[in-house]
Amino acid sequence: MTEQAEMRELLELAALALGLTVIHPEETKRGECIALRCSDQLTKDPASQFEYHWRPHTDDGDSRRLQVALGIECGPSLVSKTPEWWAYQSGVIGKGDVTEELVEVTNGDSPAAARLAVLKVAAEIGRRMKCLRAGARKGRNAA
């Protein structure tokens, strides 16, 4: 999987965890996913739904809103010999469910490492939600 495809998958899974509907990815000519065009489906009133560009991998504000909405904790690693940021979330999917990511700081860009750590945790939550939905559908089809 290419780096661009991996980023797109992370963004789509994180959007799922947040309850956003991905309308289509916004990409550069080289195929890099720079944003997702999303629709907020949290309200059932169609008049209140809107589309916007969502960039938690490059935008501090989008990343922070994602972090707060999913209860993800994030901070610098104090025990690592290389500069890293950690992100951690416990219990969204089920009791005892823990998701943790460590992201090494590259080029001295600590905010980018923090955003990526949060995005990876959110994507893992989305991946687990997707699996649970697939399992529930399988159970309904078997009945």
Side-chain angles (χ1 to χ4, degrees):
M1 181 179 290
T2 66
E3 190 175 321
Q4 291 91 350
E6 184 180 338
M7 182 57 68
R8 181 176 172 176
E9 181 183 34
L10 288 174
L11 289 166
E12 289 176 348
L13 289 169
L16 173 67
L18 204 52
L20 300 176
T21 299
V22 176
I23 297 169
H24 64 83
E26 297 289 323
E27 298 176 341
T28 65
K29 289 181 181 176
R30 294 183 304 168
E32 296 169 304
C33 187
I34 57 169
L36 295 181
R37 183 169 287 282
C38 293
S39 176
D40 187 346
Q41 298 293 321
L42 299 178
T43 60
K44 299 298 179 196
D45 178 10
S48 70
Q49 294 175 8
F50 56 94
E51 292 182 20
Y52 56 94
H53 294 278
W54 188 61
R55 302 174 182 93
H57 59 311
T58 59
D59 183 275
D60 289 336
D62 284 347
S63 179
R64 181 67 170 160
R65 284 184 285 278
L66 176 63
Q67 179 185 353
V68 169
L70 296 178
I72 297 171
E73 296 181 41
C74 184
S77 175
L78 302 175
V79 294
S80 176
K81 292 182 181 185
T82 59
E84 292 179 320
W85 277 74
W86 56 267
Y88 170 87
Q89 197 284 334
S90 176
V92 162
I93 305 300
K95 290 194 182 282
D97 182 39
V98 174
T99 302
E100 185 175 20
E101 291 289 339
L102 278 174
V103 175
E104 188 172 330
V105 175
T106 55
N107 300 326
D109 194 352
S110 288
R115 288 190 304 266
L116 184 56
V118 168
L119 180 62
K120 286 183 170 188
V121 169
E124 183 58 30
I125 293 167
R127 182 176 285 111
R128 292 176 187 185
M129 289 172 66
K130 191 175 181 179
C131 288
L132 286 174
R133 287 180 184 173
R137 266 190 246 116
K138 240 188 242 183
R140 283 194 302 259
N141 292 340

